[in-house]
Amino acid sequence: MLSSRWRHLHVFALVALTALVAGGPVRAATSPPAAPPAVETLTYHGLAPDQKAFIDELERRTFDWFWESAEPYTGLVPDSWPNHTFSSVAAIGFGLTAYGIGAERGYITREQAAERTLTTLRFLAAAPQNGSEDDAAGYRGFFYHFLDMQTGRREARWVELSSVDTTLLMNGVLFAQSYYDRATPQEREIRQLADRLYRAVDWPWMQARKPLISMGWTPGGQFIATDWKGYDEGKMVYLLALGSPTHPVGDDAWAAWCSTYPKQWGTFQGHTFLNFAPMFGHQYTEAWVDFRGIRDAWSRAHGLDYAENGRLAAYAQRAYAIANPGQWTGYGADVWGLTASDGPGDLTVTSPQGVRRFSGYMARGAGLNEINDDGTIAPTAAGGSIAFAPSIVVPTLMAMKQRYGNYIYGRYGFVDSFNLSFHETPRDGRTYPGFGWADNQQLGIDQGPILLMIENWRSGLVWKVMKKNPYIRRGLQRAGFTGGWLERADAKAAAAALP
């Protein structure tokens, strides 16, 4: 795979999205969709036997991707695999969380999970942190977006010191801190290293334009000119920055982050919610934080929490696929889901529907203000929403496997993405006669939401562990969240979770 195809994870936030539907801008249909149920009642235990067997298998296969792809001597997790590439620090964060899930499910022992976690944390803690161009893994506690799989140093000079990817890494670090709570020397060291790594992140330094937080920094170009502002995956950046015991940002940071919400609040496909077109913006923070029943000032004023907002986003994307304004092959009630994912390549094709423009890796999405759709479906868009909307996600994932499993489902679950409208020679992946295009790999940042959200739906494991972490609680409270689990008596347990 060519490195030039790898755009940054937050490319969506750096550029204005334009519609790629049927070769040009198209407004999505606005006919009223079926209203979602007031409460999602489908539980894992309520599944039919074949559905339960499928979810069990998908969770195990997705876990195996992390367990088998990570470098066992360093713990570094690749950005994509089996097409081995550089390491993604965000994927490491998902991996650190995956190991706890694997231990609870019996895929591996707790001792194996702790050993892999300790290997990873030791490597990260020892990795060089300095301002050089080529001889560092990070700087001021932040880590570079991509690291060399062997050395752990910055992969190349085009790689930025990333605030959001460091955040996703720290989510896994803090999960490890709270999950490994036993008095063994191994688990005690995990807690100590996790605390050290999180405390080292200098969040105020990343505030080039206070009170907002910059997307990143490079030794050559200095701070990226764009800040995290408005509803997307940047929620967690601010929560961790607010929760820091050593380098916290000011109380005004969360309000500044929320200041552009009015531009994103509105009705799309009959659903009114905070819009962010790719589904990952509704999943990355929510994979670790249980927003059910807790609300900040914005969500209190608008009568919904962020978990419900994510549910409405999933229903809106499904409604968009049913409307299918771009006439993409296969779209419908059981085939939907746009997010940042691989694609067949940057190609223009003439078809009976007109000129079609396709892309490689791109932040695809559909929402109030932008549609970025070239017919490429990513199973993680639905799969990472299973904890919000199981009644539409379970049938969707099963339908994808049943109809197209020979092309898109294998040893590690679903491939990253597929496109039933593309039948030409792709730049990446493979085209199959009578089917279309399918990727030939998985991405860590797309496997992660599937695994974590399946487990959250089944047992609430990741959410329960993170509720015990005092830094997560502090970040939420400083952001103004109140209600629900955040105010219950287990606050004492959180305070006792420190090493």
Side-chain angles (χ1 to χ4, degrees):
M1 305 301 251
L2 299 176
S3 62
S4 61
R5 69 186 281 276
W6 292 96
R7 305 181 187 187
H8 296 319
L9 174 61
H10 47 255
V11 63
F12 177 87
L14 295 175
V15 297
L17 293 181
T18 57
L20 295 179
V21 182
V26 173
R27 296 300 299 174
T30 58
S31 57
V39 178
E40 293 285 342
T41 58
L42 181 63
T43 66
Y44 169 79
H45 297 292
L47 295 177
D50 63 326
Q51 294 175 316
K52 189 176 293 186
F54 165 69
I55 294 298
D56 290 349
E57 177 187 270
L58 177 60
E59 183 173 18
R60 175 59 191 265
R61 292 188 181 209
T62 309
F63 165 81
D64 285 346
W65 187 92
F66 287 99
W67 187 250
E68 295 181 15
S69 71
E71 168 55 56
Y73 300 106
T74 64
L76 297 182
V77 178
D79 182 60
S80 63
W81 201 66
N83 300 319
H84 215 48
T85 61
F86 36 76
S87 175
S88 155
V89 297
I92 298 173
F94 280 113
L96 288 168
T97 311
Y99 308 145
I101 294 172
E104 293 298 310
R105 286 279 149 224
Y107 306 152
I108 55 175
T109 66
R110 186 180 178 99
E111 290 71 25
Q112 287 176 303
E115 181 180 3
R116 176 70 64 82
T117 297
L118 188 54
T119 295
T120 308
L121 297 184
R122 283 172 174 168
F123 186 84
L124 293 172
Q129 289 262 339
N130 59 65
S132 70
E133 285 276 13
D134 306 310
D135 191 32
Y139 185 50
R140 291 182 175 264
F142 291 92
F143 284 83
Y144 283 102
H145 191 158
F146 299 124
L147 305 177
D148 182 279
M149 279 293 291
Q150 303 306 313
T151 68
R153 303 307 199 263
R154 182 187 187 191
E155 167 65 15
R157 292 196 175 188
W158 54 266
V159 177
E160 87 285 15
L161 194 76
S162 171
S163 54
V164 72
D165 294 280
T166 297
T167 293
L168 292 168
L169 169 62
M170 290 300 150
N171 286 346
V173 168
L174 294 181
F175 173 88
Q177 181 189 41
S178 291
Y179 177 74
Y180 298 99
D181 56 1
R182 296 180 183 176
T184 65
Q186 190 179 43
E187 296 200 10
R188 188 178 297 113
E189 185 180 356
I190 287 173
R191 294 194 295 275
Q192 291 169 347
L193 287 172
D195 205 57
R196 173 180 159 191
L197 285 164
Y198 176 60
R199 286 171 174 264
V201 183
D202 189 350
W203 303 98
W205 173 78
M206 193 62 83
Q207 290 185 294
R209 293 159 292 275
K210 290 185 178 182
L212 296 172
I213 298 174
S214 173
M215 289 190 171
W217 175 89
T218 61
Q222 301 303 307
F223 287 102
I224 292 174
T226 308
D227 298 314
W228 289 108
K229 181 169 60 175
Y231 179 82
D232 57 21
E233 75 275 27
K235 289 191 295 298
M236 201 70 191
V237 176
Y238 284 89
L239 292 177
L240 290 193
L242 287 163
S244 173
T246 50
H247 304 290
V249 297
D251 291 335
D252 53 351
W254 186 260
W257 148 258
C258 296
S259 64
T260 61
Y261 275 16
K263 298 178 182 179
Q264 296 170 277
W265 175 259
T267 301
F268 177 69
Q269 289 292 332
H271 302 286
T272 303
F273 60 103
L274 272 175
N275 280 250
F276 183 74
M279 282 305 301
F280 72 79
H282 306 277
Q283 298 170 347
Y284 281 3
T285 302
E286 290 78 358
W288 282 278
V289 177
D290 184 2
F291 285 106
R292 296 174 301 173
I294 66 171
R295 299 182 179 187
D296 64 352
W298 172 271
S299 50
R300 285 192 294 271
H302 290 77
L304 83 171
D305 56 39
Y306 288 107
E308 175 64 11
N309 198 78
R311 185 172 83 113
L312 293 174
Y315 273 90
Q317 278 224 8
R318 179 174 180 262
Y320 168 80
I322 293 171
N324 194 11
Q327 301 176 41
W328 299 107
T329 303
Y331 277 27
D334 293 336
V335 178
W336 57 272
L338 305 176
T339 192
S341 68
D342 280 349
D346 296 327
L347 300 162
T348 300
V349 175
T350 301
S351 73
Q353 288 77 29
V355 176
R356 299 283 211 181
R357 291 190 289 274
F358 298 91
S359 295
Y361 184 85
M362 181 175 67
R364 296 167 175 84
L368 178 65
N369 297 316
E370 49 270 320
I371 296 172
N372 202 16
D373 181 11
D374 66 350
T376 302
I377 296 291
T380 188
S385 302
I386 194 170
F388 302 145
S391 61
I392 60 172
V393 169
V394 173
T396 294
L397 295 177
M398 290 193 70
M400 288 179 183
K401 183 191 175 188
Q402 289 166 355
R403 295 175 195 171
Y404 315 123
N406 288 341
Y407 311 106
I408 69 170
Y409 191 85
R411 180 176 177 180
Y412 301 113
F414 289 104
V415 297
D416 191 59
S417 53
F418 63 97
N419 190 315
L420 302 175
S421 298
F422 186 89
H423 300 278
E424 308 300 320
T425 301
R427 297 279 174 82
D428 300 295
R430 181 178 175 184
T431 300
Y432 298 89
F435 168 74
W437 175 85
D439 205 359
N440 58 358
Q441 64 177 1
Q442 288 86 12
L443 306 187
I445 58 172
D446 287 344
Q447 292 286 82
I450 296 174
L451 176 61
L452 272 60
M453 288 304 227
I454 287 177
E455 189 57 41
N456 279 330
W457 179 52
R458 292 183 67 170
S459 71
L461 172 68
V462 181
W463 289 339
K464 290 175 183 177
V465 168
M466 297 302 274
K467 288 174 186 177
K468 295 191 299 181
N469 192 281
Y471 305 137
I472 296 298
R473 299 178 69 96
R474 182 171 185 260
L476 288 165
Q477 289 165 343
R478 288 195 66 210
F481 283 87
T482 59
W485 62 265
L486 198 54
E487 298 180 357
R488 292 181 190 143
D490 56 353
K492 292 182 178 179
L498 291 170

